[in-house]
Structure formats: structure tokens, C-alpha cells
Amino acid sequence: MRRTDIHEIFNPRSIAIVEVSSNPIKGATIFLHTLLAIGYEGKIYPVNPDGEDSLGMKTYRCLLDVPDSVDHVIVGVPAHRVLAEIENAVKIGTRSIHIYSAGFEEINTDEGLALKKEIMGIARGKVRVIGPNCMGIYHPKMKISFYFDQSPLFGGSAFVSQSDGLAGLFSFVALQENNYCSKVVSIGNSWDLKLTDFLEYFSEDEETETVSMYIEGLGNGEGRKLLSVLKNTTKRKPVIIFKGGRSEEGERAASSHTGALASKLEIWNAFTGQYGVILVDSIEEMHDFIKLYRMVHPPRSKRSCLVAFGGGGRNVTYADICAKNGLSLPKLQKEVQDGLLDFIPQVGTMRDNPVDLSGGVFDPTVLVSTLKTVSRDPNVDSIIFTIDVLVMHTIKDLLGIDPRDIVKGTVSALVSVKGHLEIPIFCCNPISMEDLEIEELRLYLKEELEKNNIPSILTIERTTKAIKRYHDYSCFKSMESCDRPQLA
């Protein structure tokens, strides 16, 4: 069943902002700033009890003075004044209220708890409430935002969060990774609308392809509903969860943050595996998975070939990381290794997996031949290509070659091979050193690769985790064994 109540929240034709002023950091003025900056096309009604204009816009002294209907109200008054504003919002028949204000049950006082009871007594059954103690909604297609620099570019990545900061971070990393957002919501203490309400909505939302969640804890009875919604969602769309409050210290911080009751990580690990949830350790890892899901088909097994330039020590380290994160690097068959000798030197390189290209990394024809050769091994179901742009940059001084020309040759080789292979290629493109010129080269490589749907991920740790998670989710969807038999 489609959640029309939440659909209306994300698509208001008019928004009132209560407690704006000439001071850009006071009250709810930030929301007036962000709506104007992103170019919201609906009607905006700023409310200021003192009657002074805000950001050049006329204000109203009270919600009751607004002459037209208001679909959505943002309340930023001090906690003790929220009750009166909720009463006014109910009187004008608004559909939804976002309470930006804080100072309720998260401060663990009798006054805060009593205010919550009074406010929800007025709102319940009459208006939907987001919050309190949160930043509310970001819907780029409707040009609604809650942080500066949130983009109107939109895509298929939805996010619901119990943290304001992580909701903002998700939207900024989404822009950086081209995993553009469909909708984002920061829910804070979630008196009315819960994590599960938004998960239920996103599961049916046609604009949303992946659903990500930051969860510190669940309220009474919410765990059972979460399992029910997940059961109806994960076969159709990936659900990616970043769980906060894993340690004793984190659990205590979560309680003081939103008043949420955290649960042990072991419990989450158990049920998320059963329900096909992708459990990650950061916002960045969320976007790694989304990128793979968006760009390439999943590998048929967790057996990969690591093709690298970087010397024995680095390759050994990378092989250890692959193993730690659940990927195997099977020894390449003898005929494959012998085939590599046609273009890789026998001395000073590795060719049994990992495969060390040595100086051949700068020759696109060697790279193409290497990738085609290792892909013929029946035990290899994906290729991880690692590159160090520091070496590309250094070669500029040694041979007088523009490093961008090397990057273009590398990209051309990878794109050429990609069109002929049945297995996916992933690129590990790490930061080499803190140098602006080198970082610009790395980002240029990333941009050129991803124009051609070759995922570029920052570290081998994150690359291997993302591949493993993508493979496991694919197996969950098809209910197949997570590894096909290894060939002799």
C-alpha cells in the first residue's frame, strides 16, 4: 500500500517556516536560506513574531495570519513554545509538521517528557510529525533541501537517518559519487513517523532504487515492524543499514542523541543476514555498494583476480585484505600463467594471482592482453584492477610523458576490455599522498572510468567489502548458493 501521507510530505506546494529572523543562524532561518538557494518553486511563508523581514522576504507574525493554505510547516522555536505552534498548525489544517526544535526526551527531564505527551496529544490523528530534533526532508526533484550546497540533481538513492549530520553527509557523498538522491529524511526523535514508516514508503516509491538507513536504535514494537517491511522490500530493492551505537560508549551516546535504545551488533548481524540486508560500517561504504549496484552486474562468485602495479609487498598486503573481507584469489591455471609470459616479464613480477604488471601498466596493449588472459581462467569471476596515480605522476619527470595521457590510455584499455568480458571489472584507485596535483589526477581517472561504468573505489578495503556485499545480495535475491563449485 502506497504511503500517501509521506508522499505528501515530500511534495508540498507551500511551506511555512516558523521563527525566522534577520539573523541567518537564528531559529529556523537556515531553512529559508536553503529553500531559496536550491530554488524551491512552491510558496514560502516565513513567520516571525516580531514582524521583521527575513532575507528580503515579507514575514507573518503568526501561522494563523498566513492568507493561503500551508501544506508543510517547519517549526524552529524554543521547546517551550512548540506546543502553541503545533496548535496553530492543526488549526490551519496543515498536512505535516517538521519540528526542528530540540530539548525534549533526549535531555531526560520530566519537563521534556511532559511536553512530548502534550504535543502528540494535539497532533495525533490530525497531522503527521517529523522529529523533533532533526533537519527534516531533502527532495532534490522538488527542490527542497535542509543544508547549503545540496544539489537539485536527483537519482535513485533514498536515505532515512536518525542523525542530521549523517543525512547531510549522505547527500554530499551522493553528489561526489554520482549516486544522486531520490529523497533523504532526518527524523531525530521520531515521535510520530518512524524509520519503518519511511522504509515502507521508499520500498514502494518509484523514484527510489536503493534504500539506505542510519539507525541508532528502535522504539518499542518497532523491531517487529522492521522485519515485516524488510521481508517485503529486500527482494525488490537493496536495503543498506549503517548501525550506530555498537559499543557501550556508542550506545550511551545514541541514548543522549535521540533518546533511542540501541541493540547489540550481534543481533543486527543475525537478522540482517537472514533478511538480505547489506550491513555497512560507514556512509562511504553505503555509496560503494550503491555505485556497484548502479554500474555493473554482480560477480557469480567471490573468486577474483587482482591485477596490480605496486610490487610484491603491496600485492601481498592486498591479497590479505581480500581474504579478510571474504574474497578469494585462486591460483591461475598453468595455461593462463603461461599465456601471461607473452607480455609480462618472467623475472621480477607475479603472475599466479595477484598479477603484477610491473612496467607494463603504462602500455595499454599489455593491460588489454593481461585482462583478457586472466578472464579466461574459469575460476575467476571478477577482476580488481589497482592503480597508483603517484607512479603515473612520477613518470612525467622521468620520461617527459603527460600523466593524463597515461590515464587516457589506461581508461581506453579498460573500456575496450570491458566490452568483451562476461565478468565485471572494478578499479581500486587509492589516494597516493597529500598532493593537490596528484589528487586532481586521481579524480580525473575516477571520472573517466565511471563515465564508462567502471566503478572506482578509494581503497582496497572498501573495494573488496563492496564486491562481497554485492555478490551476497545477488545470491539472496536469487536464493542460490553464494559460490559455484570451483573448477579443477
Side-chain angles (χ1 to χ4, degrees):
M1 181 181 70
R2 189 178 185 188
R3 293 291 301 263
T4 56
D5 56 337
I6 297 180
H7 183 75
E8 289 174 349
I9 291 173
F10 279 108
N11 294 274
R13 296 162 298 179
S14 55
I15 300 175
I17 307 170
V18 181
E19 197 74 356
V20 301
S21 73
S22 57
N23 184 339
I25 61 172
K26 183 179 178 182
T29 313
I30 184 174
F31 296 100
L32 180 56
H33 264 289
T34 57
L35 288 174
L36 293 175
I38 201 172
Y40 174 63
E41 295 171 353
K43 295 179 180 179
I44 303 175
Y45 300 106
V47 176
N48 180 339
D50 297 328
E52 64 179 2
D53 290 354
S54 180
L55 303 182
M57 294 191 68
K58 173 188 174 181
T59 64
Y60 299 86
R61 290 184 178 274
C62 176
L63 264 178
L64 302 178
D65 295 336
V66 175
D68 302 310
S69 62
V70 177
D71 289 341
H72 184 65
V73 174
I74 301 172
V75 176
V77 300
H80 68 276
R81 288 175 47 202
V82 170
L83 180 63
E85 299 301 337
I86 302 301
E87 290 175 334
N88 289 339
V90 169
K91 286 177 183 177
I92 66 172
T94 191
R95 295 173 178 172
S96 58
I97 301 171
H98 158 208
I99 304 176
Y100 172 54
S101 316
F104 301 97
E105 76 268 32
E106 78 278 3
I107 62 173
N108 198 29
T109 65
D110 291 341
E111 292 82 2
L113 292 169
L115 268 174
K116 171 185 176 180
K117 186 175 180 179
E118 285 188 87
I119 290 167
M120 288 311 299
I122 293 169
R124 189 170 286 113
K126 301 181 182 72
V127 62
R128 301 318 308 244
V129 176
I130 300 175
N133 186 25
C134 66
M135 296 301 289
I137 61 173
Y138 167 47
H139 186 185
K141 191 173 184 179
M142 280 293 291
K143 298 180 181 177
I144 299 172
S145 64
F146 55 75
Y147 277 135
F148 293 109
D149 299 327
Q150 283 180 321
S151 171
L153 295 172
F154 57 88
S157 306
F159 185 58
V160 53
S161 176
Q162 289 179 322
S163 160
D164 297 336
L166 293 185
L169 179 61
F170 183 91
S171 69
F172 296 135
V173 178
L175 190 62
Q176 172 184 298
E177 301 294 349
N178 295 327
N179 293 331
Y180 300 125
C181 297
S182 59
K183 301 174 180 74
V184 173
V185 59
S186 158
I187 63 172
N189 299 16
S190 55
W191 286 353
D192 175 26
L193 291 167
K194 313 290 186 184
L195 285 158
T196 47
D197 292 303
F198 287 100
L199 173 60
E200 188 173 49
Y201 169 70
F202 290 141
S203 73
E204 300 292 341
D205 179 34
E206 293 179 355
E207 295 178 357
T208 294
E209 297 170 0
T210 61
V211 184
S212 299
M213 309 174 75
Y214 171 72
I215 303 177
E216 291 178 355
L218 300 172
N220 291 333
E222 198 174 1
R224 183 169 295 178
K225 183 177 179 183
L226 177 63
L227 296 181
S228 174
V229 179
L230 286 173
K231 184 176 182 180
N232 294 320
T233 303
T234 51
K235 283 287 186 179
R236 295 180 291 109
K237 298 180 182 182
V239 177
I240 312 154
I241 293 178
F242 176 21
K243 175 66 177 71
R246 303 181 182 194
S247 63
E248 181 180 341
E249 293 82 0
E251 186 174 358
R252 185 174 66 250
S255 178
S256 63
H257 179 206
T258 61
L261 179 63
S263 51
K264 300 301 182 184
L265 185 61
E266 292 82 2
I267 298 173
W268 286 85
N269 283 330
F271 90 77
T272 52
Q274 180 181 352
Y275 285 83
V277 171
I278 300 100
L279 197 63
V280 299
D281 299 315
S282 68
I283 295 297
E284 290 78 9
E285 288 184 6
M286 283 182 163
H287 281 289
D288 292 340
F289 178 91
I290 294 168
K291 181 187 293 186
L292 266 55
Y293 183 79
R294 179 171 59 84
M295 287 187 175
V296 297
H297 62 78
R300 293 175 295 172
S301 79
K302 291 174 282 190
R303 293 190 290 278
S304 189
C305 181
L306 182 64
V307 177
F309 173 88
R314 179 176 292 186
N315 289 332
V316 169
T317 301
Y318 282 4
D320 285 341
I321 293 172
C322 287
K324 181 186 75 170
N325 291 325
L327 297 187
S328 65
L329 302 179
K331 185 174 181 178
L332 298 179
Q333 293 186 339
K334 184 178 184 303
E335 54 267 33
V336 173
Q337 293 191 47
D338 291 345
L340 291 172
L341 289 176
D342 291 341
F343 32 88
I344 294 179
Q346 185 169 11
V347 178
T349 60
M350 305 167 71
R351 64 181 188 280
D352 59 350
N353 196 8
V355 174
D356 188 351
L357 286 171
S358 187
V361 73
F362 303 115
D363 186 340
T365 60
V366 171
L367 180 55
V368 167
S369 298
T370 300
L371 296 175
K372 285 184 176 179
T373 301
V374 300
S375 72
R376 290 198 290 268
D377 193 304
N379 288 326
V380 171
D381 286 316
S382 67
I383 296 173
I384 303 171
F385 175 66
T386 71
I387 189 69
D388 190 336
V389 294
L390 174 61
V391 179
M392 293 180 171
H393 187 266
T394 303
I395 209 75
K396 172 186 71 172
D397 298 322
L398 293 175
L399 301 178
I401 301 173
D402 187 335
R404 287 210 171 201
D405 289 339
I406 301 174
V407 168
K408 289 175 182 176
T410 301
V411 172
S412 177
L414 290 169
V415 172
S416 171
V417 168
K418 178 176 176 283
H420 293 89
L421 302 186
E422 295 182 358
I423 62 175
I425 301 176
F426 309 94
C427 182
C428 173
N429 181 16
I431 293 176
S432 301
M433 62 184 298
E434 293 183 351
D435 179 276
L436 183 59
E437 190 174 346
I438 294 173
E439 179 61 5
E440 287 177 349
L441 184 63
R442 188 191 70 80
L443 291 174
Y444 175 70
L445 173 60
K446 172 186 173 182
E447 179 183 3
E448 293 301 306
L449 287 173
E450 295 190 348
K451 281 180 183 177
N452 294 281
N453 286 332
I454 299 174
S456 170
I457 298 180
L458 190 60
T459 69
I460 191 67
E461 182 87 25
R462 283 169 48 186
T463 303
T464 52
K465 284 183 177 181
I467 295 170
K468 163 73 161 48
R469 288 166 177 153
Y470 191 21
H471 168 260
D472 287 352
Y473 176 68
S474 173
C475 291
F476 168 80
K477 283 187 69 176
S478 63
M479 296 304 290
E480 294 177 355
S481 170
C482 278
D483 274 305
R484 58 192 180 87
Q486 185 164 347
L487 301 175

